[in-house]
């Protein structure tokens, strides 16, 4: 079944929307919602059992928005409960914990679960996704940096926010932008407005930055075989430099990737006769 859009309404009229939270257990989904709706933080972990449901009203420009929030349990055990709730959603808060790499790596699986539940005709293009890189207050344990998270989100056309439910950092900004984007989408007849930077860099650039980040050595980073010649190294370097040069590429992480490529080439050329 196709994810349904609320009917286009006259500006100023009220609108009812459905929002869900998604992400691994314990990443802070419930705390983010609580921080925004109740202005408080609970440090004790109280796992959501199945689904928590709440209704809230927000004002976006001249419209009153009634928001039905379905806060999902992240534990795999609740899969069967969750999968009844994906349809007819206009907005998803997709959360990971910046100190838990697994929770970041799991984001694709969360999208796949939603897609599978919506079925072959389900359309995820008319849903606004806000990715929350949560627990940024835990700086010591951080292992997913901003550029990595932003790159993943923006290359999919999703909003990206750095948040802490504990301190409140980023939470209001996230919800405000999220609700404005949903209203824009509804007023735009269900098409995601092209307001983020997803169009400003290519998939090839995003994929290359990801590949460089996960490369195991300098050969691998330049995409040449160990023992390659100076010419091969220089050729591979030039190709990457054109793709990632900070003057040309605005993808998150491109500057670091470019520097890494320059260093890799220097290191390799030192040892090639
Ligand atoms: P499930 O309901 O099991 O899917 O988990 P959840 O994603 O809803 O996590 P929840 O909001 O219950 O938070 C899990 C734990 O992380 C709790 O102990 C929270 O206090 C803690 N927590 C949530 N957000 C933050 C944050 O921004 N910073 C810190 N330091 N801890 C947080
Ligand atoms: Mg929860």
């Amino acid at each position: 079944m196709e994810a349904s859009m609320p009917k286009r309404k006259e500006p100023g009229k009220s609108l009812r929307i459905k929002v869900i939270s998604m992400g691994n257990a314990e990443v802070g989904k419930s705390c983010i919602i609580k921080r925004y709706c109740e202005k408080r933080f609970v440090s004790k972990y109280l796992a959501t059992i199945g689904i928590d449901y709440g209704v809230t009203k927000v004002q976006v420009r001249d419209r009153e928005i009634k928001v039905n929030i379905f806060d999902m349990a992240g534990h795999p055990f609740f899969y069967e409960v969750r999968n009844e709730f994906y349809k007819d959603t206009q907005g998803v808060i997709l959360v990971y914990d910046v100190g838990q790499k697994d929770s970041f790596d799991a984001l694709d699986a969360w999208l796949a679960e939603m897609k599978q539940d919506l079925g072959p005709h389900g359309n995820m293009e008319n849903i606004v996704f806000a990715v929350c890189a949560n627990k940024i207050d835990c700086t010591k344990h951080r292992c997913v940096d901003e550029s990595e998270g932003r790159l993943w989100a923006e290359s999919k056309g999703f909003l990206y926010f750095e948040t802490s439910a504990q301190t409140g950092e980023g939470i209001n900004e996230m919800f405000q932008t999220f609700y404005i984007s949903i209203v824009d989408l509804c007023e735009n007849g269900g098409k995601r407005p092209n307001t983020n930077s997803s169009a400003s860099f290519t998939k090839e650039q995003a994929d290359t930055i990801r590949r460089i980040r996960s490369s195991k050595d300098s050969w691998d980073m330049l995409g040449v075989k160990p023992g390659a010649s100076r010419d091969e190294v220089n050729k591979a370097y030039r190709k990457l430099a054109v793709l990632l040069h900070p003057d040309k590429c605005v993808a998150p992480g491109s500057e670091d990737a470019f520097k890494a490529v320059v260093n890799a080439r220097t290191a390799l050329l030192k040892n090639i006769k």
Side-chain angles (χ1 to χ4, degrees):
M1 189 167 49
E2 179 123 340
S4 69
M5 290 302 309
K7 288 220 169 67
R8 213 195 266 212
K9 297 208 172 150
E10 295 306 313
K13 293 262 174 70
S14 72
L15 187 69
R16 184 184 283 271
I17 60 170
K18 175 182 167 185
V19 161
I20 62 172
S21 67
M22 263 162 55
N24 278 9
E26 232 176 312
V27 294
K29 300 179 294 298
S30 303
C31 285
I32 287 174
I33 293 167
K34 207 166 264 147
R35 165 60 76 186
Y36 183 71
C37 296
E38 299 172 23
K39 311 274 175 271
R40 65 193 182 100
F41 174 72
V42 183
S43 59
K44 188 166 185 277
Y45 175 40
L46 299 163
T48 303
I49 307 299
I51 304 278
D52 266 348
Y53 170 68
V55 187
T56 178
K57 277 185 191 163
V58 291
Q59 187 79 25
V60 174
R61 296 191 290 263
D62 56 347
R63 295 187 92 142
E64 183 178 85
I65 317 296
K66 282 187 192 136
V67 187
N68 293 316
I69 303 187
F70 294 80
D71 177 24
M72 303 235 202
H75 197 283
F77 181 77
F78 296 110
Y79 167 70
E80 283 184 340
V81 183
R82 280 196 303 270
N83 71 13
E84 292 167 27
F85 288 91
Y86 284 121
K87 59 182 182 296
D88 302 331
T89 294
Q90 283 81 45
V92 175
I93 301 168
L94 187 56
V95 185
Y96 67 93
D97 172 350
V98 295
Q100 295 286 339
K101 182 75 164 55
D102 286 1
S103 70
F104 175 66
D105 294 338
L107 296 179
D108 282 308
W110 281 102
L111 294 182
E113 180 176 305
M114 180 171 195
K115 201 171 167 45
Q116 187 183 13
D117 185 61
L118 293 179
H121 304 297
N123 184 1
M124 310 245 292
E125 289 302 305
N126 58 17
I127 299 171
V128 174
F129 284 84
V131 176
C132 295
N134 194 40
K135 306 199 188 182
I136 55 165
D137 56 285
C138 302
T139 44
K140 273 196 192 144
H141 299 114
R142 184 157 192 168
C143 58
V144 185
D145 68 22
E146 179 176 351
S147 63
E148 194 173 357
R150 194 178 278 284
L151 182 68
W152 185 89
E154 293 186 353
S155 63
K156 292 188 150 44
F158 297 171
L159 302 166
Y160 173 84
F161 300 91
E162 298 253 300
T163 60
S164 166
Q166 188 190 67
T167 66
E169 196 177 339
I171 303 287
N172 283 347
E173 187 204 345
M174 183 277 285
F175 274 101
Q176 276 161 16
T177 313
F178 181 54
Y179 289 140
I180 289 170
S181 302
I182 294 174
V183 172
D184 286 348
L185 180 135
C186 295
E187 289 177 352
N188 200 24
K191 282 202 203 93
R192 235 189 253 165
N194 199 10
T195 50
N196 57 41
S197 57
S198 63
S200 57
F201 58 88
T202 63
K203 183 172 182 305
E204 187 186 9
Q205 286 170 327
D207 289 347
T208 304
I209 293 167
R210 260 191 291 268
R211 191 187 62 70
I212 287 169
R213 280 171 168 278
S214 62
S215 56
K216 57 181 192 295
D217 56 27
S218 299
W219 303 109
D220 191 29
M221 186 175 288
L222 289 187
V224 293
K225 287 202 188 98
S229 67
R230 292 182 85 84
D231 272 0
E232 285 168 326
V233 167
N234 282 328
K235 202 172 154 200
Y237 164 77
R238 273 194 297 274
K239 201 174 155 206
L240 289 171
V242 168
L243 193 67
L244 299 176
H245 195 285
D247 288 350
K248 303 247 171 58
C249 179
V250 295
S254 58
E255 226 174 279
D256 286 345
F258 180 71
K259 278 187 210 151
V261 166
V262 171
N263 291 339
R265 177 209 193 197
T266 311
L268 291 179
L269 290 184
K270 260 193 211 158
N271 295 315
I272 301 175
K273 292 263 150 46

